[in-house]
């Protein structure tokens, strides 16, 4: 396989071709994925994001995997939209621990008008700290997407979750088309897209092929592709779904890497149930982003020190972000970033 370049990002993948990748012997697939990865990224750098749930539970949607849906009783402690100051405090903590991106998630079908000013203030405040910003608030119309972009939101996360065929078995309260419309509004606003899905919901390999082909064939591929391994939460309809073969999850990462050579592929939810060796294999397959910190939105994630140790054992360094802001701020941000690089990082730095 030849190394991928900007020129040969394809948007015309057929399912048969993607099936061909899944059918490869595992070692051949991993070699190809690692070859693409090395042509496009530093193979020893992983982008580090921290998640915060800014509004928790009571969601009107019926996503069968989700502990936050009001349709299921998961015993979750619900929380109204957080105060802006409290969110900024959490962002400062995430930055101090070495995260370069702060992702704020709300259990909404879509943001409503009265919440927008608070959400916009959160974006501005987090960005002021020199962190990259990401939000996931449900569906967005054109105007909402533009407001978020104008406030400086870098990324918007909205997942396709699965294949178009399997989708109706997982969610009935919003359509696949609704999701594609939101992604288009995000793209048109100038923000970067974070979009991926969940593996391990009882879907077939053909559904995994369907999801990855949809993502790769978007008009512009998502800059960030989170692949979540289902976190089985008691009380959701998926609590007893059959265990996923972890090797099959690694295959999905490798195929995503080959189809979307320039995208960050995030080893997202589910790491708590993965061994260090499994995570190392995911990095080898081309995953180059993680959520860092003890909590995802509502479920546990590995302890920060465990991730530091894993990075140290693998010689992985956290990727540094340069946040571009208004022209007058730019010099200041860059000099702060340089100073930061000179200081001892709280996150393990494999180069020292
Ligand atoms: N409410 C917004 C929405 O769904 O558009 C944003 C938050 S929602 C929790 C973001 C994503 O988290 C979902 O699209 C899904 O892919 C992922 N997710 C939710 N629950 C999960 C679980 N139990 N296991 C793995 N991923 C999950
Ligand atoms: C994504 O794809 N995964 C994150 C983020 N985007 C918002 C969320 C994972 C949630 C896992 C279940 C929970 O903690 O509630
Ligand atoms: Fe609501 Fe998002 Fe959970 Fe679906 S995934 S129930 S939209 S919080």
């Amino acid at each position: 396989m030849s190394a991928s370049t900007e020129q040969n990002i394809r948007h015309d993948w057929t399912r048969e071709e993607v099936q061909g990748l899944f059918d490869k012997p595992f070692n051949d697939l991993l070699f190809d994925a690692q070859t693409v990865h090395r042509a496009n990224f530093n193979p020893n750098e992983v982008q580090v994001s921290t998640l915060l749930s800014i509004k928790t539970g009571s969601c009107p949607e019926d996503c069968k995997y989700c502990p936050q849906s009001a349709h299921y009783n998961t015993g979750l402690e619900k929380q109204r939209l957080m105060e802006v100051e409290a969110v900024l405090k959490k962002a400062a903590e995430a930055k101090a621990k070495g995260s370069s991106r702060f992702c704020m998630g709300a259990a909404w079908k879509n943001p409503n008008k009265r919440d927008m000013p608070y959400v916009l203030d959160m974006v501005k405040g987090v960005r002021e700290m020199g962190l990259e910003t990401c939000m996931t608030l449900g569906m967005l119309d054109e105007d909402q997407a533009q407001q978020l972009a104008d406030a400086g939101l870098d990324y918007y996360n909205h997942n396709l979750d699965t294949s178009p065929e399997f989708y109706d078995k997982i969610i009935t309260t919003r359509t696949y088309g609704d999701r594609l419309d939101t992604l288009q509004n995000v793209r048109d606003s100038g923000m970067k897209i974070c979009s991926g899905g969940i593996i391990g919901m009882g879907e077939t390999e053909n559904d995994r092929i369907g999801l990855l082909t949809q993502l790769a064939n978007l008009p512009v591929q998502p800059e960030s592709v989170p692949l979540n391994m289902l976190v089985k939460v008691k009380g959701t309809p998926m609590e007893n779904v059959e265990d996923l073969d972890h090797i099959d999850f690694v295959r999905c990462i490798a195929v995503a890497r080959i189809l979307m050579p320039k995208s960050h592929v995030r080893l997202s939810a589910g790491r708590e149930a993965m061994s260090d060796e499994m995570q190392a294999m995911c990095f080898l397959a081309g995953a180059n982003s993680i959520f860092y910190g003890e909590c995802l939105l509502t479920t546990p994630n590995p302890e920060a020190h465990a991730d530091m140790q894993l990075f140290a054992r693998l010689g992985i360094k956290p990727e540094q972000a340069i946040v571009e802001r208004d022209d007058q701020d730019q010099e200041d941000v860059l000099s702060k970033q340089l100073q930061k690089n000179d200081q001892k990082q709280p996150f393990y730095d494999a180069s020292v």
Side-chain angles (χ1 to χ4, degrees), residues 157 189 217 290:
N157 167 244
S189 75
N217 289 346
I290 57 162

Side-chain angles (χ1 to χ4, degrees), residues 51-53 56 65-68 76 103-106 134-136 157-159 161 194-198 225-231 233 266 268-270 291 295-301:
L51 261 178
L52 175 69
S53 181
T56 307
Y65 48 76
C66 187
Q68 304 202 64
L76 182 73
C103 306
M104 295 157 269
C134 178
M135 281 193 161
T136 179
N157 167 244
H158 198 63
N159 290 341
D161 275 351
C194 173
S195 187
I198 308 180
V225 179
L227 290 183
N228 299 278
M229 188 172 87
L230 176 72
V231 179
V233 179
R266 182 173 302 131
S268 198
F291 283 123
C295 193
L296 290 164
L297 287 173
T298 67
T299 62
N301 199 37

Side-chain angles (χ1 to χ4, degrees), residues 310-330:
L310 178 59
F311 273 29
R313 286 168 75 200
L314 300 177
I316 286 176
K317 286 189 290 181
E319 187 184 286
Q320 298 290 319
I322 308 267
V323 179
E324 290 174 28
R325 296 187 298 185
D326 295 345
D327 282 346
Q328 79 246 35
D329 290 342
Q330 182 64 22

Side-chain angles (χ1 to χ4, degrees), residues 104-133:
M104 295 157 269
W108 286 328
K109 184 183 184 72
N110 48 261
N112 69 39
K113 209 167 171 199
R114 86 169 175 262
D115 295 317
M116 281 305 281
Y118 301 104
V119 163
L120 297 175
D121 280 349
M122 290 172 194
V123 174
K124 289 176 197 155
V126 173
R127 205 147 199 282
E128 268 306 300
M129 294 175 190
L131 280 164
E132 289 183 317
T133 50

Side-chain angles (χ1 to χ4, degrees), residues 211-226:
L211 167 68
L212 296 175
T213 308
Q214 282 282 334
L215 291 166
N217 289 346
L218 286 170
V220 179
Q221 293 185 346
E223 284 79 4
S224 165
V225 179

